[in-house]
Amino acid sequence: MDNPLLDTRAGALPAFATIRPEHVEPALQDRLAANRAALERLLAASRNGPVSFEDLILPLEELGDQLQHVWSPVSHLHAVANTPELREAYNRCLPLLARYQTEIAQNAELYRLFAAVAQTVPEGRADGARALLDHALRDFRLAGVTLPPEQKQRFMEIMEALAGKQALFEQNLLDAMAAWSHHETDAAKLDGIPANTLERAAEAARAAGRKGWLFHLDQPSYVAVLTHARNRELRALFHRAWSTRASDQAPSPPGLDNGPLMDEILALRHEAAELVGYTDFAEYSLATKMAASVSEVRAFLERLVVASRFAGRSEFAELEAHAGHALEPWDVAFHAEELRLRKFAISDEELRPYFPLPRVLEGLFALVGRLYGLHLEADGQVAVWHPTARFFRVLDSGGAPIGGLYMDLYARPEKRSGAWMDDCISRKRLDGRLQLPVAHLVCNFAPPTATAPSLLSHDEVLTLFHEMGHALHHLLTRIDYPSISGIHGVPWDAVELPSQFMEGFAWEPEILAMISGHHESGLPLPPELVERLRQSRVFHGALHMLRQLEFSLFDLRIHAEYSPGQGGRIMKLLGEVRDAVAVVPAARYDRFPNGFAHIFGGGYAAGYYSYKWAEVLSSDAYAAFEEEGVLNPAPAARFRREILEVGGSRDIAAAFRAFRGRPPDIAALLRHSGITAAAASETGTGPATA
Ligand SMILES: [Zn+2]
């Protein structure tokens, strides 16, 4: 076979060593044509008589998996081994893929067949067949496939307009940030700002042919100035620039004001939601999530507000006492950093020597061995895309293979930043033959030097554990249909449960002893450092919690309470939420929503609460291990059976109850955030809402 991407045999690992950019588009074209022809044959056959799950759904699952075999290696290489040629091929393919996916999503005949098959499959069928059908039917309806032609046309127009306006929102934000700069020639005014930030600013000044330092409004520079600059006016200047980005309060060109756009986006979302039968966009968003209703999410968030507000006030009072004066918004990060250093005196640089990557990995593998009986075995024969990437065979306690794991952990120029888990091959058993799952685990740690291995900060250790949690979710699945196996079909607000859950282990003295070992002396992290590290975890836990709750409630309410007659009322609702939640004062000029790309750019719209929702699940799940013993295989076996194995085949609320013996409780998250029950129940907490 001359195009390695067309090797779609079950279980075949991608031929990473031989894939070339010129293979990409022909392979995708070939696969899409084959899929379309196969779909036509299936539809034609279905017109001759009743259809069954086996005759229709299984072949469709197979087609989806065939496409994944072609596309997964391409999108992976695009992320970790990018070249101009590959990027070009990749970009040419995106519209081809999108068109194919729209054809499927908008196929009314296919929708009717799914509905007919669903009649023949009993609810709650153990293999997840009914869940698969219900998910598919729901997604068809959410895409407007059941609407009469005129409304369907309008729905498609709205979706297209939304995509454009959301992209414009992000573009305005970027342009507004690029339009701002601050030039400084007096070094004394920059006192406290870290060297690497100053370095970048000096470089920018040189590039512009100027003396001194030229700052732009990128996030790292903004955070560095607000956290470290001693000069109060400088902090105030940056704060104003940042919190008025793309707004009517900004000095940037008025064409970049996102205000009108935000109203239009809310209006379009509301109209789309109503067209497909929901009262508002928040309800539409929740249709695919674990949370059952807007009122449930709101009550959930408000419960956390009540529990955190007293502790938040105490934290803020302590901070003002430390500063010795009332704090303005641009003072908070600076004095918080001072206080943090005074209380815990802990820095990344102090911890790194204790976390050489090989030692951390060895400890992490030992941990998953203790919890799930897994054994990871490096296999140097498997083709990879870079000499430092590695492949591991994942075996169960009896030595039987259960899947594979690629790890690519070092930063490189041709690699996307950040860390993620991606699905390489999905578990599949459609014709009796089992295809085992394979995952990609990607990070961007500093590579080893001539004299030292890669040394991780504790944050990076958490990242590695987090991504391993996602990988285990993908690898331990027992579901045979690819579209609901592993992380597929898992609701957005629950998908971070297995990953955040794994982070819990990286705070345990017992586990820290397993994963640490000074790269020179080999000694584990000293108990005194372990203690300081654990204390620093909860520093300003309530203030961070309240900030996230403010964002979440704001996002939920502007979508749930939108009314066409009154428009967005964005600043009014923000004011109400702040009155009910915030303990840190906001500046009068603050136009934070105009830069809230998470929700106005798409993605998290009426879904920002998912962060806290999943954290409650993961904290509470982890608490079972605190209660029963962190290395106890009993809760691990339960967690594996009820949560990790079920993929998207099961209602997650029911799965959680089966694991924990009760519904999720917020107590563990409060405790892990340093918010004690005593503080939460003090009088003076006040009502949660205005
Ligand atoms: Zn994650």
Side-chain angles (χ1 to χ4, degrees):
M1 182 172 309
D2 45 6
N3 191 331
L5 286 170
L6 288 173
D7 181 6
T8 58
R9 287 168 304 156
L13 291 170
F16 283 116
T18 53
I19 297 170
R20 300 280 170 266
E22 59 269 26
H23 294 135
V24 171
E25 197 182 345
L28 184 69
Q29 294 274 23
D30 192 284
R31 192 62 247 166
L32 291 179
N35 274 24
R36 285 189 172 103
L39 177 62
E40 258 328 299
R41 282 195 300 276
L42 286 170
L43 291 175
S46 75
R47 289 169 202 137
N48 300 325
V51 287
S52 68
F53 188 82
E54 286 67 29
D55 293 344
L56 180 73
I57 309 301
L58 293 189
L60 287 172
E61 286 284 303
E62 180 61 36
L63 292 179
D65 188 59
Q66 295 280 318
L67 182 56
Q68 192 194 340
H69 270 280
V70 174
W71 189 247
S72 158
V74 176
S75 80
H76 178 66
L77 289 174
H78 179 257
V80 299
N82 210 332
T83 62
E85 296 75 29
L86 180 62
R87 187 175 326 142
E88 213 179 283
Y90 177 86
N91 286 337
R92 271 201 310 276
C93 286
L94 288 181
L96 304 178
L97 263 180
R99 194 178 319 143
Y100 173 76
Q101 276 147 2
T102 307
E103 276 168 32
I104 304 272
Q106 293 297 328
N107 191 319
E109 187 178 6
L110 202 53
Y111 166 74
R112 284 191 294 275
L113 290 171
F114 267 79
V117 173
Q119 300 291 323
T120 69
V121 176
E123 218 153 306
R125 201 169 101 173
D127 65 353
R130 181 56 189 264
L132 183 160
L133 291 161
D134 289 344
H135 284 192
L137 287 169
R138 174 199 70 198
D139 293 344
F140 274 121
R141 283 191 293 269
L142 290 175
V145 76
T146 57
L147 295 175
E150 224 164 89
Q151 291 184 13
K152 190 170 176 174
Q153 177 63 27
R154 177 63 190 149
F155 186 85
M156 303 289 279
E157 280 167 20
I158 293 174
M159 287 300 151
E160 207 172 313
L162 263 180
K165 287 182 194 297
Q166 290 174 175
L168 185 58
F169 178 95
E170 302 215 27
Q171 194 55 54
N172 282 346
L173 189 58
L174 287 174
D175 289 351
M177 285 160 77
W180 190 90
S181 65
H182 175 66
H183 184 228
E184 187 59 71
T185 50
D186 182 357
K189 289 192 179 153
L190 304 177
D191 188 25
I193 301 175
N196 58 349
T197 307
L198 289 178
E199 190 85 22
R200 267 207 318 276
E203 221 161 83
R206 273 197 300 278
R210 302 172 79 169
K211 287 196 167 54
W213 298 266
L214 185 63
F215 292 90
H216 291 291
L217 203 53
D218 54 284
Q219 184 157 15
S221 298
Y222 169 70
V223 171
V225 169
L226 267 279
T227 311
H228 300 289
R230 298 193 170 283
N231 187 306
R232 212 176 171 199
E233 281 83 60
L234 187 73
R235 295 200 308 262
L237 181 80
F238 271 75
H239 182 267
R240 184 170 195 126
W242 182 264
S243 45
T244 61
R245 290 172 301 158
S247 79
D248 58 351
Q249 305 290 307
S252 52
L256 298 179
D257 179 6
N258 269 336
L261 207 50
M262 289 149 66
D263 265 324
E264 289 162 28
I265 288 170
L266 291 177
L268 287 169
R269 284 177 183 161
H270 186 81
E271 189 187 348
E274 280 192 323
L275 272 174
V276 289
Y278 295 93
T279 55
D280 54 69
F281 184 80
E283 209 184 52
Y284 174 88
S285 161
L286 293 185
T288 52
K289 298 193 170 74
M290 173 183 170
S293 67
V294 172
S295 57
E296 184 188 9
V297 175
R298 185 155 176 186
F300 162 79
L301 294 170
E302 285 172 351
R303 232 178 8 256
L304 285 173
V305 171
V306 171
S308 311
R309 215 157 179 230
F310 181 83
R313 284 210 181 95
S314 318
E315 286 174 6
F316 192 63
E318 184 200 20
L319 189 60
E320 287 202 314
H322 158 78
H325 58 83
L327 295 178
E328 297 290 349
W330 48 90
D331 297 324
V332 176
F334 176 78
H335 290 289
E337 178 64 6
E338 264 188 353
L339 182 61
R340 191 182 69 84
L341 286 175
R342 176 183 298 182
K343 286 178 86 162
F344 310 112
I346 200 162
S347 75
D348 281 353
E349 300 324 303
E350 195 179 356
L351 293 170
R352 277 186 200 278
Y354 289 97
F355 294 120
L357 180 60
R359 172 74 182 146
V360 177
L361 268 187
E362 191 190 318
L364 176 57
F365 288 0
L367 172 64
V368 299
R370 294 280 291 272
L371 293 176
Y372 306 118
L374 300 182
H375 181 65
L376 284 89
E377 205 175 79
D379 184 343
Q381 300 303 307
V382 170
V384 288
W385 49 93
H386 188 273
T388 60
R390 299 171 77 193
F391 180 80
F392 296 87
R393 299 201 178 278
V394 184
L395 312 171
D396 72 12
S397 51
I402 65 155
L405 178 66
Y406 290 97
M407 280 191 161
D408 180 355
L409 301 180
Y410 299 126
R412 292 188 301 274
E414 72 281 10
K415 193 169 158 183
R416 204 175 78 200
S417 60
W420 65 90
M421 192 288 290
D422 202 2
D423 158 358
C424 175
I425 297 178
S426 299
R427 181 184 160 104
K428 173 182 78 167
R429 178 157 43 196
L430 302 172
D431 54 4
R433 258 200 76 188
L434 178 63
Q435 169 176 278
L436 293 174
V438 178
H440 286 295
L441 196 163
V442 183
C443 294
N444 269 284
F445 302 143
T449 64
T451 53
S454 176
L455 299 172
L456 306 189
S457 68
H458 187 257
D459 264 348
E460 289 171 330
V461 170
L462 291 174
T463 299
L464 185 64
F465 273 59
H466 180 105
E467 301 309 335
M468 188 57 136
H470 282 308
L472 290 170
H473 196 188
H474 180 64
L475 292 169
L476 291 176
T477 191
R478 302 284 297 170
I479 299 299
D480 293 335
Y481 308 125
S483 69
I484 52 164
S485 80
I487 57 168
H488 297 287
V490 176
W492 178 298
D493 47 358
V495 82
E496 296 297 333
L497 159 59
S499 51
Q500 294 175 163
F501 159 79
M502 274 304 284
E503 291 181 36
F505 291 96
W507 293 101
E508 293 295 341
E510 223 171 329
I511 309 298
L512 285 166
M514 282 166 67
I515 60 171
S516 66
H518 195 285
H519 74 105
E520 282 160 347
S521 68
L523 292 173
L525 199 61
E528 177 265 335
L529 258 183
V530 170
E531 201 35 50
R532 270 195 283 148
L533 176 66
R534 285 165 56 83
Q535 283 173 4
S536 71
R537 178 187 188 183
V538 299
F539 179 65
H540 282 181
L543 287 176
H544 291 305
M545 170 88 76
L546 289 170
R547 189 94 176 118
Q548 290 296 311
L549 293 172
E550 180 184 324
F551 296 165
S552 304
L553 275 166
F554 168 69
D555 165 46
L556 188 74
R557 290 191 58 190
I558 56 168
H559 287 103
E561 295 172 35
Y562 182 85
S563 108
Q566 299 182 70
R569 294 172 298 149
I570 290 170
M571 289 311 292
K572 178 179 179 293
L573 287 172
L574 179 62
E576 286 181 25
V577 169
R578 277 186 171 154
D579 286 346
V581 179
V583 298
V584 178
R588 261 212 314 281
Y589 55 70
D590 191 314
R591 290 295 179 273
F592 139 79
N594 294 49
F596 200 4
H598 268 83
I599 65 163
F600 288 108
Y604 280 83
Y608 198 86
Y609 77 92
S610 299
Y611 284 112
K612 280 294 153 214
W613 187 272
E615 253 184 281
V616 163
L617 299 178
S618 57
S619 271
D620 197 21
Y622 187 74
F625 288 73
E626 293 174 319
E627 291 156 18
E628 298 173 52
V630 288
L631 288 171
N632 186 340
R638 255 182 7 250
F639 191 71
R640 177 176 182 169
R641 186 179 68 236
E642 307 294 351
I643 308 277
L644 296 178
E645 290 184 353
V646 303
S649 74
R650 188 173 177 196
D651 172 48
I652 300 293
F656 190 94
R657 277 197 304 277
F659 163 65
R660 204 67 172 95
R662 56 162 176 74
D665 187 330
I666 63 173
L669 177 61
L670 294 176
R671 185 162 48 77
H672 293 149
S673 308
I675 302 166
T676 63
S681 63
E682 292 265 357
T683 52
T685 308
T689 51

